Amino acid sequence: MSKVIAWVKNIRPIKILTVLCMGVLLIVTQACGSVTAGEPKAGANSELSVPKGDKVLNSYEGGMNNFSDTDPRSTGVKSKTEDLKENAEQHLTNKTSPTGENPLGKNLQQTAEGTKQKVGNSADNFAKGVQRGIENIKDNTKNAAGDLTKGAKGAADDAKTNVQRTAQDASSAVNRTVREAD
């Protein structure tokens, strides 16, 4: 602890002021100094180094980076698109029957009928389940009433037995007292 106190006493305000002034001077000279920007030099990738005349490999076509905007790999695209279009048309004609009917419409109609039938079956099953639930509630209510009467009868029998035992205990106590008094 004494070392810390000695170190704090050794710090003088003049030292702190000197460090603070040097920091401010450094910041001001770096932030407020004037720097003149020079002209950029032509590099290997700039337009200045592009070959001119007969040495040009690709002519200027006005696109990005002085090249054409069309992809050179797209030479056979039109024939591919025509083939795909014909394939799609053929696929559609295969989907329809020779009589001109669309089997897709029949499939949709059959699906709708199947869904209607499933919904009807679900409603019937739900009604049957509700009926079974009501019957279970009735049975449970009857069982609960029977259990309640059995419980009440048992409680009455227990009370009767307790009264009889209490009466016997009281008569035994009276008999003991009379015998002790003799």
Side-chain angles (χ1 to χ4, degrees):
M1 186 69 177
S2 62
K3 290 182 180 181
V4 174
I5 293 172
W7 181 77
V8 171
K9 286 182 180 179
N10 193 19
I11 296 176
R12 295 197 172 91
I14 191 73
K15 289 182 181 179
I16 295 174
L17 186 62
T18 304
V19 170
L20 186 65
C21 287
M22 294 303 278
V24 169
L25 183 64
L26 178 67
I27 291 171
V28 168
T29 56
Q30 290 298 316
C32 299
S34 63
V35 176
T36 57
E39 288 292 322
K41 296 179 182 177
N45 293 330
S46 71
E47 270 188 54
L48 298 176
S49 63
V50 174
K52 305 284 186 214
D54 295 335
K55 297 179 184 176
V56 175
L57 300 175
N58 295 326
S59 62
Y60 175 75
E61 296 182 19
M64 184 175 171
N65 297 328
N66 298 332
F67 296 106
S68 173
D69 286 337
T70 58
D71 189 4
R73 298 171 289 185
S74 66
T75 55
V77 171
K78 288 188 179 182
S79 63
K80 287 180 185 178
T81 56
E82 292 297 324
D83 291 341
L84 288 173
K85 182 180 174 183
E86 289 174 11
N87 188 13
E89 288 174 355
Q90 184 178 10
H91 187 65
L92 283 176
T93 56
N94 289 342
K95 283 279 190 181
T96 59
S97 65
T99 60
E101 291 181 14
N102 189 352
L104 183 62
K106 284 185 178 180
N107 288 343
L108 288 175
Q109 185 178 7
Q110 289 172 354
T111 304
E113 289 172 1
T115 304
K116 180 181 174 184
Q117 193 174 31
K118 286 179 184 178
V119 169
N121 291 341
S122 296
D124 291 340
N125 290 339
F126 179 74
K128 289 177 184 176
V130 168
Q131 184 64 33
R132 273 189 250 129
I134 291 172
E135 290 172 7
N136 286 340
I137 290 172
K138 287 179 184 177
D139 291 340
N140 290 342
T141 305
K142 287 179 185 176
N143 291 340
D147 290 343
L148 183 62
T149 56
K150 286 179 186 177
K153 183 179 178 185
D157 289 341
D158 288 344
K160 178 183 170 187
T161 306
N162 288 339
V163 168
Q164 288 175 350
R165 284 185 188 160
T166 305
Q168 287 176 354
D169 290 344
S171 68
S172 297
V174 169
N175 287 339
R176 267 188 257 133
T177 308
V178 171
R179 284 187 205 148
E180 288 177 6
D182 287 335

